[in-house]
Amino acid sequence: MASFDGVPTIELLQRARDGDGEALDRLLARYLPMLRRWTSGRLPRWARDLLDTDDMIQETMIKTLRNVDGFAPRSEGALAAYFRQAVANRIRDELRNATRRPHRADLAFDREADDPSPLDAAIGAEGVLRYEAALDRLEPEERELILARIELDLEWSEVARACGKPTPDAARMAVRRALLRLAAEMADG
């Protein structure tokens, strides 16, 4: 069994495209924890039906890798952003599908609701939509920096490596500038 520790993502991606199952497994292992953290809480319980979040992420990643021929990564962090967008699209699909099926629930009149109120849900959804729209308006490098640090919760050294920054401090400063730009975009939008 080949060791893929330290192998750049771009090389693993090419090997996976060429049919290397071990490279595919390594890509899944590399990105599943980050995507799991990012996905946590984004798909409400009522929309999941029998869908397990990990299964949804893995299915989406495998489908994305099968159809990734037109994707040309510019940096190590580009594939993470590509996966994140694919999972975000899958979550949107699941939410759309969930609204089409009837909701089943046992009624307990003596218990408070676990879910947020409709107002809280609307405010939260509006904030997420504003964030996503502002993120889409950023430059690709800024978006990759924010996704790597904030959404994927990478360490500064990992952000530097994924986004092509020379040092963790350079990555920290670049993320800070990107976050300031994101805040301005959210305020304008």
Side-chain angles (χ1 to χ4, degrees):
M1 177 167 179
S3 172
F4 290 112
D5 294 337
V7 175
T9 297
I10 295 170
E11 185 178 331
L12 284 176
L13 177 60
Q14 187 56 50
R15 289 182 184 186
R17 283 177 174 165
D18 294 340
D20 186 335
E22 290 179 47
L24 176 63
D25 289 344
R26 184 63 193 139
L27 282 171
L28 293 172
R30 187 173 286 180
Y31 289 104
L32 181 62
M34 292 182 273
L35 288 167
R36 185 182 297 133
R37 283 191 302 268
W38 181 80
T39 306
S40 177
R42 290 186 186 265
L43 185 62
R45 190 175 308 142
W46 58 266
R48 284 189 200 147
D49 197 22
L50 299 175
L51 184 69
D52 178 60
T53 302
D54 280 353
D55 291 343
M56 179 192 71
I57 295 169
Q58 286 181 9
E59 288 172 12
T60 303
M61 289 175 68
I62 290 170
K63 183 178 177 183
T64 300
L65 284 170
R66 283 186 189 137
N67 299 311
V68 76
D69 292 334
F71 175 70
R74 297 177 314 278
S75 68
E76 284 290 305
L79 185 61
Y82 194 71
F83 279 144
R84 179 205 161 275
Q85 188 60 51
V87 171
N89 291 340
R90 175 72 186 268
I91 289 170
R92 285 186 200 104
D93 290 345
E94 291 299 326
L95 288 170
R96 270 193 301 274
N97 291 338
T99 59
R100 293 181 187 140
R101 34 178 207 263
H103 181 66
R104 260 186 4 179
D106 296 327
L107 297 178
F109 296 103
D110 60 342
R111 193 174 142 220
E112 289 189 36
D114 293 333
D115 297 332
S117 72
L119 176 62
D120 289 341
I123 291 170
E126 181 182 318
V128 169
L129 289 174
R130 283 185 35 238
Y131 167 76
E132 297 276 343
L135 196 61
D136 287 343
R137 289 190 300 269
L138 296 179
E139 295 295 322
E141 181 182 350
E142 294 170 320
R143 191 170 32 253
E144 285 179 22
L145 286 161
I146 290 172
L147 294 175
R149 178 60 183 172
I150 304 303
E151 296 200 11
L152 300 177
D153 198 29
L154 297 180
E155 298 293 327
W156 291 116
S157 59
E158 295 171 313
V159 173
R161 188 173 57 250
C163 297
K165 298 298 175 191
T167 66
D169 281 338
R172 186 176 49 78
M173 292 305 296
V175 168
R176 182 178 182 277
R177 286 189 299 274
L179 286 171
L180 289 172
R181 181 125 180 325
L182 177 67
E185 286 292 331
M186 288 182 72
D188 291 345

